[in-house]
Amino acid sequence: MGKRNYYIVNGITWYRALAAFCMLLLICNHQFSAFKWMLAFSFFTDAVDGNLARKLKVISKFGSTLDSVADDLTVAVAIIGMIVFNPGFLKGELTLVVILLLLYVLQITLALIKYGKISSFHTYFAKAAAGLQGLFLVLFFFLPGPIYTLFYLTAIITVMDLVEEIALVLIMPEWKANVKGLYWVLSKSAVPECDEL
């Protein structure tokens, strides 16, 4: 039963990773309607697989890494969709978009140098940022115009998430998945080993 649950949860995550390439084809063929519905479903699966993994107790390092990759691919293809279907929005917010991109690239680069693979911390900030990103991106394609308040809130939380993840990469000597956040890591490291007995 455990292996079956593991394959089900990872199958949902694999769907999201592969769906990103299908959505890219939809963008290339200007199939806007199919793209936006597939994107919405992909973000829905993002909300499902993590919770399902915890509920079924099938959390694994591979699953955490796959989830991070699938999330990044989904957001990347959504941004490509924004560029193709509504390029004016990103042009108007170029400074903020560049800051987010630079922080993301820095975080990924540091993780690859230090751990040899991307990070998969899944901090509270990361979960909040992912939820807001999904909400904003889905509404962006379904509503007549972007919700700027939601965009700025999403950007602020995403910046906080990326800064925290950069700090975590710098202070954590080994790769670890599902870290609550910087506060918990620092609190744990501040406790003497003899007190943990």
Side-chain angles (χ1 to χ4, degrees):
M1 184 64 77
K3 281 191 175 181
R4 181 185 173 194
N5 291 338
Y6 173 82
Y7 291 133
I8 290 171
V9 171
N10 282 344
I12 295 170
T13 311
W14 269 114
Y15 159 79
R16 192 163 68 258
L18 296 173
F21 297 100
C22 294
M23 286 187 282
L24 191 57
L25 290 174
L26 292 173
I27 292 169
C28 292
N29 291 303
H30 294 275
Q31 299 291 319
F32 176 70
S33 183
F35 163 76
K36 72 178 184 179
W37 282 105
M38 196 168 189
L39 182 70
F41 186 71
S42 286
F43 277 117
F44 171 74
T45 65
D46 184 28
V48 168
D49 61 358
N51 290 325
L52 203 56
R54 286 185 289 276
K55 185 177 180 180
L56 298 176
K57 298 179 182 178
V58 288
I59 296 171
S60 66
K61 288 182 179 180
F62 173 77
S64 294
T65 302
L66 179 61
D67 184 64
S68 294
V69 171
D71 291 349
D72 290 347
L73 288 173
T74 304
V75 171
V77 79
I79 292 170
I80 293 169
M82 292 171 79
I83 293 168
V84 172
F85 297 122
N86 190 348
F89 173 75
L90 287 181
K91 285 179 183 176
E93 301 296 336
L94 192 59
T95 302
L96 189 49
V97 171
V98 168
I99 290 170
L100 290 166
L101 184 61
L102 289 174
L103 286 171
Y104 173 75
V105 169
L106 177 61
Q107 192 273 338
I108 291 290
T109 302
L110 290 172
L112 288 172
I113 291 169
K114 190 163 187 179
Y115 306 130
K117 56 183 172 180
I118 66 169
S119 64
S120 188
F121 296 129
H122 293 130
T123 62
Y124 289 140
F125 265 132
K127 290 173 184 176
L132 287 169
Q133 289 165 15
L135 180 62
F136 171 76
L137 290 168
V138 169
L139 292 177
F140 180 88
F141 293 107
F142 278 85
L143 297 179
I147 303 174
Y148 282 91
T149 305
L150 180 57
F151 170 71
Y152 293 127
L153 175 62
T154 301
I156 290 167
I157 298 299
T158 302
V159 166
M160 293 171 74
D161 165 47
L162 290 169
V163 169
E164 180 181 54
E165 292 201 14
I166 288 168
L168 287 170
V169 171
L170 292 174
I171 67 171
M172 292 180 65
E174 295 179 354
W175 186 93
K176 188 176 179 183
N178 302 315
V179 177
K180 290 181 180 180
L182 185 61
Y183 169 79
W184 289 270
V185 171
L186 292 175
S187 297
K188 189 174 180 181
S189 64
V191 177
E193 289 186 14
C194 59
D195 291 347
E196 296 179 356
L197 297 175

